[in-house]
């Protein structure tokens, strides 16, 4: 019997690798950055950011971490305007909110799939361990900064800098529910 949550039930055969998507600033059903709540947050970010596009994203990241409480959630298709309204969201929902704010500020974004070992969640869901799939695909945004696609994990510095520990965390921050290195989400689940 195949595990229900593993995705291995998918009848579609694996095909050749797909070409990279160029990304862009357009709104989507999830990234509904034209919504007044999202536009208000984007305006606040622009008003408090130090200036560069990277600074703008870091400012947005910190505001989202402070205002949107981390929770475990299953609705990955939830519009970011609803996440803002609720004041809570999963790491994926909060990353989508960061992506929407970026697009509202004219920064193109795209999403890549990040494959994470399911054992990461065993300690978080000890009684549901049998239901946790072997591998989990997470939506991992990238932002077009200075003509280069920068993964969200590198907003605070390139990977070699992050490995050395410089600029890798806000004081008192814990890591998002993925694997290292990732941006610091203050008080994540």
């Amino acid at each position: 019997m195949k595990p229900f949550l593993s995705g291995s039930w998918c009848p579609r055969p694996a095909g050749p690798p797909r070409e990279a998507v160029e990304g862009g600033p357009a709104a989507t059903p999830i990234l509904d950055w034209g919504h007044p709540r999202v536009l208000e947050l984007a305006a606040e970010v622009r008003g408090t950011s130090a200036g560069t596009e990277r600074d703008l994203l870091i400012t947005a990241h910190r505001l989202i971490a402070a205002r949107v409480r981390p929770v475990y959630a299953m609705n990955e298709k939830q519009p970011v305007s609803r996440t803002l309204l609720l004041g809570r969201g999963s790491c994926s929902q909060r990353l989508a909110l960061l992506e929407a704010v970026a697009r509202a500020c004219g920064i193109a974004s795209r999403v890549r799939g990040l494959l994470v070992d399911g054992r990461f969640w065993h300690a978080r869901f000890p009684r549901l361990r049998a239901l946790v799939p072997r591998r989990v695909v997470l939506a991992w945004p990238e932002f077009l900064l200075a003509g280069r696609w920068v993964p969200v994990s590198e907003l605070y510095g390139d990977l070699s800098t992050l490995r050395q520990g410089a600029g890798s965390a806000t004081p008192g921050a814990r890591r998002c529910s993925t694997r290292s290195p990732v941006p610091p989400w203050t008080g994540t689940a």
Side-chain angles (χ1 to χ4, degrees), residues 61-177:
H61 181 260
R62 289 182 176 151
L63 282 173
I64 293 165
R67 294 187 184 161
V68 181
R69 184 172 50 93
V71 296
Y72 291 108
M74 297 300 289
N75 185 4
E76 299 305 329
K77 293 182 178 181
Q78 176 173 288
V80 296
S81 59
R82 177 132 177 93
T83 301
L84 265 178
L85 174 68
L86 296 173
R88 66 180 186 268
S90 67
C91 282
S92 295
Q93 291 165 337
R94 293 165 26 149
L95 285 172
L97 182 53
L98 177 63
E99 191 178 0
V101 169
R103 288 182 177 206
C105 294
I107 300 171
S109 68
R110 67 182 184 186
V111 174
R112 309 294 292 250
L114 181 70
L115 193 59
V116 179
D117 188 332
R119 291 177 293 179
F120 177 83
W121 282 276
H122 287 180
R124 288 167 172 77
F125 303 107
R127 293 186 177 158
L128 300 175
R129 184 176 287 188
L131 297 176
V132 175
R134 280 189 30 225
R135 292 175 291 182
V136 177
V137 177
L138 299 176
W140 202 248
E142 294 181 340
F143 304 95
L144 188 59
L145 303 175
R148 182 176 87 79
W149 287 106
V150 177
V152 68
S153 52
E154 293 185 33
L155 282 183
Y156 288 84
D158 63 24
L159 290 179
S160 63
T161 302
L162 292 172
R163 283 187 188 111
Q164 295 170 7
S168 63
T170 305
R174 293 185 335 178
R175 299 227 182 255
C176 185
S177 297

Side-chain angles (χ1 to χ4, degrees), residues 45-59:
V45 167
R46 281 192 297 271
T48 58
S49 175
T52 69
E53 289 180 332
R54 184 181 296 266
D55 292 335
L56 187 137
L57 291 172
I58 290 170
T59 299

